[in-house]
Amino acid sequence: MQILVQKYNFFTISLPISQFKCIFAHIFLTKTIFCMKKFTFITLLACTVLACSTEIEDTIVFDNATADKEVKLSNDEGSPVCAVHLQIATASEENGHKGEVVNRIIQKRLLNMEELTMQQAVDSFANTYTSFYLRKLLPLYNQDRADTAKRTWYEYHYVITSEARQGSKSTMAFIATTDYYEGGAHSVNQCTTMNFDVQTGRLIGLNDIFVPGYENLLNAVLQKALCEKVGVADISNLRQKGYLVGIQMFPSENFILEDETITFIYNPSEIAPHALGETELVIPLSNLEQILRKENKS
């Protein structure tokens, strides 16, 4: 792309614009002195051209891709239904290439789809899910149709809601909640988080935050934080409360990185029985100074 700056018809200056964050070009054109009856007219023309790259550099802007679909399992009055509601925060086109990177990752993690726009993906997911429901559940429902007590077994739903917000000064946090019921004693509720580099759209993992060999110290800090949250002294007391039964402490893949803290989110049944719900552990980064990579230290 080029910008052409012309002063009347005397000459033309061509300014190339590509591969730059911002270009400030100050072009000082002619200084012409005209004398006319003892008056001096001095004309000074200063032209400033500001050109910025089309990608937004210090943040990621998000829109929403949504899909809502509901199907009845039969034509009967009071028939069970399958309801799908998807609201997925989506990096908008103005983010350029990094937005495409972000959307590919979100689409794969949440919908297990690739090579589609986000709107195409949510529409496809809703259609596929409801079609599967009708195909697989209708024969079973026909066998149970007379037993009204079993009708709730066939009431399916799949709901995803999400948001994107600034995490640390260099990252954007994406947080999605998925709730679905496909029969059984209760619905399944899960949180999925992702942290993106605001400059590139790259997914940030724990290996990008901590130095190699970070696991032992991080696990110890997390276990101490869990003990404090539950109000017990050690892991044996935690296990009496239902936490970490048969497993050791580990860092969740779901975390939110901020300037001063990192929050680890454990879904129901990950480190505790389902009835105890989700567990959040907020850890000050100052407690992890020993294992932080240099670029992540304040």
Side-chain angles (χ1 to χ4, degrees), residues 59-65 88-104 106 118 164 172 174 196 201:
T59 189
I60 303 173
V61 178
F62 282 80
D63 294 326
N64 284 303
I88 298 182
T90 305
S92 60
E93 291 184 1
E94 62 194 286
N95 296 286
H97 175 69
K98 70 179 177 184
E100 297 173 1
V101 173
V102 168
N103 288 339
R104 281 198 298 268
I106 294 173
M118 193 66 79
M172 183 70 67
F174 176 91
F196 296 103

Side-chain angles (χ1 to χ4, degrees), residues 94-165:
E94 62 194 286
N95 296 286
H97 175 69
K98 70 179 177 184
E100 297 173 1
V101 173
V102 168
N103 288 339
R104 281 198 298 268
I105 295 168
I106 294 173
Q107 188 179 134
K108 181 65 176 178
R109 286 279 298 272
L110 291 186
L111 303 175
N112 196 29
M113 292 185 178
E114 297 177 289
E115 305 302 328
L116 298 172
T117 69
M118 193 66 79
Q119 189 59 54
Q120 289 171 336
V122 295
D123 288 339
S124 177
F125 184 94
N127 291 332
T128 301
Y129 190 87
T130 52
S131 295
F132 177 85
Y133 169 79
L134 293 173
R135 186 171 65 254
K136 295 296 183 181
L137 273 294
L138 184 56
L140 298 174
Y141 178 67
N142 285 334
Q143 298 175 21
D144 293 330
R145 191 185 294 261
D147 189 347
T148 56
K150 294 181 179 179
R151 183 161 294 180
T152 57
W153 296 1
Y154 298 92
E155 296 280 357
Y156 277 33
H157 70 259
Y158 202 104
V159 178
I160 299 177
T161 57
S162 63
E163 65 167 327
R165 59 178 173 81

